[in-house]
Amino acid sequence: MILARVWKFGDNIDTDLIIPARYLNTSDEFELAKHCMEDADPDFVKKAQKGDCIVAGFNFGSGSSREHAPIAIKAAGISCVIAKSFARIFYRNAFNIGLPILELPQTDKIDEGDILEIDTKTGKIFNKTKNETYQATAIPEFMQELIVSGGLFNYAKKMIQKGA
Amino acid sequence: MGKMTISQKILAKHASKEFVKPGEIILADVDLAFANDVTAPIVIKFVNDLGGVIANKDKIALIPDHFTPNKDINSANQCKTMRDFVKQNDIKHYFESGEVGIEHALLPEQGFIKPGMLIVGADSHTCTHGAFGAFATGMGSSDVGFAFVTGKSWFRVPESIKFIINGKKNKWVSGKDFILKIIGTIGVDGALYKSMEFCGSAIGDLSMDDRMTMCNMAVEAGGKNGIIQADKTTINYLQERNITNYEIFQSDEDAEYASVYEFDSANIEPQVAFPHLPENAKGISEVKEDIKIDQAFIGSCTNGRISDLRIAAQILKNNKVAKYVRLIIIPATVEIYKQALKEGLFDIFLDSGAVISTPTCGPCLGGHMGILADGEVAISTSNRNFVGRMGSPKSFVYLANPAVVAASAIAGKIINPDEVIK
């Protein structure tokens, strides 16, 4: 269970807004975290605190395949991203690196500064500020298996051991 | 069984299944997995942390194209990470500066891409390779690392959307305009998680270059892959490169589609996508206002191919780039570079006042070789016009085909090529 304060963004938050290409000459997560969401909100890293969450509209993470995007968000201390929909590469990347993400059609009901209680396993979200409960779209079984395995890296490790 | 789309069939074959249905998650054998200098360092860490064993070295490629020639110490270190990994593992398919090109132009040209293949790349524009009737999709670094180590990748079998374009192309219209029109119609998330299948007589008439341009931008509509069934044009391209041993798949007549869109190419004119989304596409005749430009860019994995440079030269010949406008032209590979040089295109470009660079992704992603300042406006043949894409988050990028970009460079504003060449 996560207790998180909301930072709100709109539709089509692309990977260039999440981590601009000018910072992609490194894959160091702490360097990337310094510039997280910079072109969407230059003060985001200064304002956001550890455990906060991002709530957005349609097509979050569209654009580049850069895994640096979910890495930057996670390393900036963001506990979860909730959006109406995610671009597919970002969706995979987030699972692969262990950044919890949830698809929720009703993100318009959530405002910046709201406090959410998020159960990333069941997808149940309780808005403490508004006293409302929302249910995120169920995570496919295979993705749950990935999470249980401890991410794609550990899943690969298991596969190698089995195949050997 | 039957009733499968071309994408389903390729996935089924690689998962050793007779039939796969949309939504099903499968583990499939990958024919080619690759990464570039931005994404490879994370792939390499993933592989090395798992013991450094690669499933099949012939099925991987490493292509340093984004920040090369290295723009600073950090990017040099990223390339060194790649080079060291290549040396340690004796990896054959690696391209050093001088032979490197933009990955999605280089791989087909060097004969890596065949119909029926299953391809994953740590770059979102990997979908380009669907132009050959292959299933190709972009993924992140961990996914490509997984493919390097296991030779496999997991896929959620996508539903397909069929786009039929029939008829003859209008003047100055190219594959770029077809795909911008499609994205303008369905929106940047219109094909989210889905396969985009392109067919119809106008698609059949397209060159391989134009087909690659169309499939390249499938990801700009949220698509998992773009795909065009291999035909005579594809086979000719492969024959010219002595490529054999491939299997051509086609969609069943009764395959099921999530939706079908039909276009008459007579209704498609050159398109211009306004900032800051590729879906903001308008026909050139609908651009009523004067949009003055500071920079024009012809290149990228979308439009840096020889046919793109030829059409640019046709327009730039005996013309000068407008005062205070920078025109940057980047051939996508060494082969294209040499061909353009041989055909005398560089003389035309240089006489017009353009800058020519060695192959690199540079300006397309605001990497190097053409960064925009605050408030500047660019017209570009690349694939994205997001906020800050080519540099300053306060700059503006318009997307168009090479003819429109070349004409606009001469006029100093966005213009129909007809107004430059009468």
Side-chain angles (χ1 to χ4, degrees):
Chain A
M1 189 74 82
I2 296 167
L3 193 66
R5 181 177 55 151
V6 170
W7 294 101
K8 195 81 193 284
F9 292 90
D11 293 336
N12 301 310
I13 297 297
D14 61 67
T15 49
D16 285 285
L17 292 174
I18 299 169
I19 183 76
R22 58 185 177 274
Y23 303 119
L24 295 184
N25 56 1
T26 179
S27 48
D28 182 274
E29 61 184 64
F30 299 106
E31 282 302 313
L32 296 171
K34 286 182 198 167
H35 305 288
C36 179
M37 307 302 283
E38 189 173 290
D39 285 357
D41 177 356
D43 297 325
F44 179 74
V45 175
K46 271 186 250 163
K47 295 186 298 193
Q49 287 173 0
K50 196 170 164 42
D52 288 357
C53 71
I54 288 173
V55 175
F58 290 110
N59 206 21
F60 188 91
S62 48
S64 171
S65 72
R66 62 187 76 154
E67 206 161 290
H68 311 66
I71 289 172
I73 292 172
K74 195 181 171 195
I78 298 302
S79 61
C80 181
V81 182
I82 301 167
K84 287 181 190 170
S85 63
F86 291 91
R88 48 161 291 279
I89 306 178
F90 183 92
Y91 185 86
R92 284 183 82 117
N93 284 346
F95 275 95
N96 288 347
I97 67 145
L99 171 70
I101 57 170
L102 292 169
E103 272 184 331
L104 179 74
Q106 311 93 322
T107 60
D108 291 340
K109 291 185 172 177
I110 304 170
D111 290 313
E112 184 148 298
D114 283 0
I115 304 293
L116 306 181
E117 257 179 30
I118 308 162
D119 186 335
T120 54
K121 283 204 180 74
T122 62
K124 195 159 268 179
I125 300 162
F126 177 60
N127 189 333
K128 282 185 81 165
T129 310
K130 298 202 161 62
N131 197 25
E132 289 174 344
T133 303
Y134 323 108
Q135 179 61 50
T137 310
I139 297 166
E141 207 175 315
F142 179 81
M143 309 298 277
Q144 288 180 21
E145 204 182 309
L146 269 187
I147 298 168
V148 171
S149 299
L152 188 69
F153 182 82
N154 289 311
Y155 184 79
K157 213 166 165 176
K158 270 198 224 163
M159 259 183 79
I160 294 167
Q161 282 160 359
K162 261 197 265 172
Chain B
M1 285 286 176
K3 283 198 171 185
M4 283 200 286
T5 63
I6 180 169
S7 294
Q8 278 172 273
K9 283 188 183 176
I10 296 171
L11 289 172
K13 162 108 184 187
H14 287 80
S16 303
K17 283 171 177 259
E18 286 282 309
F19 183 81
V20 292
K21 67 171 191 295
E24 186 178 345
I25 289 180
I26 55 162
L27 199 60
D29 293 324
V30 167
D31 296 313
L32 179 67
F34 60 90
N36 59 53
D37 48 321
V38 167
T39 56
I42 302 175
V43 176
I44 291 167
K45 189 177 182 324
F46 189 97
V47 174
N48 284 342
D49 286 353
L50 275 170
V53 180
I54 297 159
N56 187 336
K57 287 179 194 173
D58 289 339
K59 292 184 175 180
I60 68 167
L62 290 163
I63 305 150
D65 58 359
H66 274 57
F67 292 152
T68 52
N70 301 141
K71 70 153 182 160
D72 55 20
I73 296 168
N74 275 354
S75 61
N77 282 330
Q78 283 184 316
C79 285
K80 188 170 183 298
T81 303
M82 283 178 94
R83 201 176 293 117
D84 289 347
F85 180 76
V86 165
K87 283 186 200 164
Q88 276 160 21
N89 292 285
D90 195 20
I91 290 161
K92 206 164 39 175
H93 307 315
Y94 167 74
F95 302 86
E96 196 54 86
S97 282
E99 56 188 11
V100 82
I102 299 175
E103 51 199 317
H104 311 303
L106 182 78
L107 289 167
E109 170 197 278
Q110 296 298 316
F112 285 87
I113 311 299
K114 298 179 189 186
M117 283 176 80
L118 181 55
I119 300 160
V120 299
D123 188 282
S124 59
H125 294 109
T126 301
C127 48
T128 307
H129 309 289
F132 290 81
F135 187 99
T137 188
M139 291 183 172
S141 294
S142 292
D143 271 315
V144 168
F146 183 88
F148 274 26
V149 171
T150 65
K152 293 173 191 292
S153 191
W154 66 268
F155 299 86
R156 185 178 171 278
V157 179
E159 286 184 294
S160 294
I161 305 178
K162 192 196 271 197
F163 298 91
I164 307 164
I165 310 183
N166 284 317
K168 285 259 173 281
K169 273 189 307 180
N170 283 317
K171 197 175 172 196
W172 306 121
V173 166
S174 67
K176 180 64 162 287
D177 305 295
F178 285 174
I179 190 66
L180 283 176
K181 179 76 184 176
I182 287 171
I183 298 166
T185 304
I186 68 170
V188 290
D189 63 351
L192 202 56
Y193 310 127
K194 293 185 176 71
S195 171
M196 298 173 79
E197 191 176 317
F198 306 114
C199 57
S201 65
I203 304 295
D205 288 342
L206 290 181
S207 67
M208 286 314 297
D209 283 4
D210 270 327
R211 294 179 191 195
M212 284 190 259
T213 303
M214 284 197 74
C215 291
N216 175 277
M217 291 187 70
V219 67
E220 261 51 79
K224 182 174 190 132
N225 67 318
I227 196 160
I228 296 169
Q229 194 202 304
D231 63 7
K232 262 192 190 153
T233 304
T234 326
I235 293 165
N236 286 342
Y237 182 100
L238 298 168
Q239 267 172 354
E240 280 168 22
R241 285 162 179 76
N242 292 319
I243 299 160
T244 51
N245 291 331
Y246 49 82
E247 190 177 355
I248 294 177
F249 292 85
Q250 53 185 358
S251 295
D252 290 320
E253 292 273 325
D254 54 355
E256 281 175 28
Y257 290 88
S259 44
V260 179
Y261 291 85
E262 271 192 83
F263 297 86
D264 181 348
S265 75
N267 299 328
I268 301 175
E269 58 170 337
Q271 303 284 303
V272 178
F274 280 51
H276 293 284
L277 285 174
E279 72 182 18
N280 298 334
K282 286 186 192 180
I284 190 92
S285 68
E286 296 171 275
V287 182
K288 303 286 186 205
E289 66 272 44
D290 267 2
I291 302 164
K292 293 203 169 135
I293 57 163
D294 301 289
Q295 181 167 301
F297 169 50
I298 298 170
S300 85
C301 60
T302 316
N303 280 116
R305 298 187 178 80
I306 190 68
S307 53
D308 301 316
L309 302 188
R310 282 178 188 144
I311 197 141
Q314 187 189 332
I315 287 168
L316 290 165
K317 194 168 186 173
N318 301 323
N319 276 309
K320 285 271 179 208
V321 171
K323 201 173 181 187
Y324 303 122
V325 172
R326 294 99 60 181
L327 170 60
I328 299 163
I329 301 181
I330 307 188
T333 68
V334 177
E335 192 178 300
I336 296 166
Y337 195 103
K338 280 166 73 180
Q339 185 63 29
L341 187 66
K342 203 166 100 183
E343 293 179 20
L345 307 187
F346 284 3
D347 286 332
I348 296 168
F349 297 156
L350 294 169
D351 288 345
S352 77
V355 169
I356 305 164
S357 157
T358 189
T360 176
C361 301
C364 167
L365 76 162
H368 61 158
M369 309 280 296
I371 304 299
L372 298 175
D374 293 352
E376 286 194 325
V377 176
I379 186 158
S380 170
T381 66
S382 57
N383 38 47
R384 289 192 178 133
N385 55 353
F386 299 159
V387 171
R389 177 67 182 178
M390 273 183 114
S392 167
K394 293 175 189 149
S395 63
F396 303 88
V397 180
Y398 292 77
L399 305 176
N401 74 32
V404 172
V405 173
S408 302
I410 295 162
K413 60 177 186 177
I414 296 176
I415 202 168
N416 189 327
D418 271 341
E419 294 192 43
V420 175
I421 294 191
K422 298 286 178 188

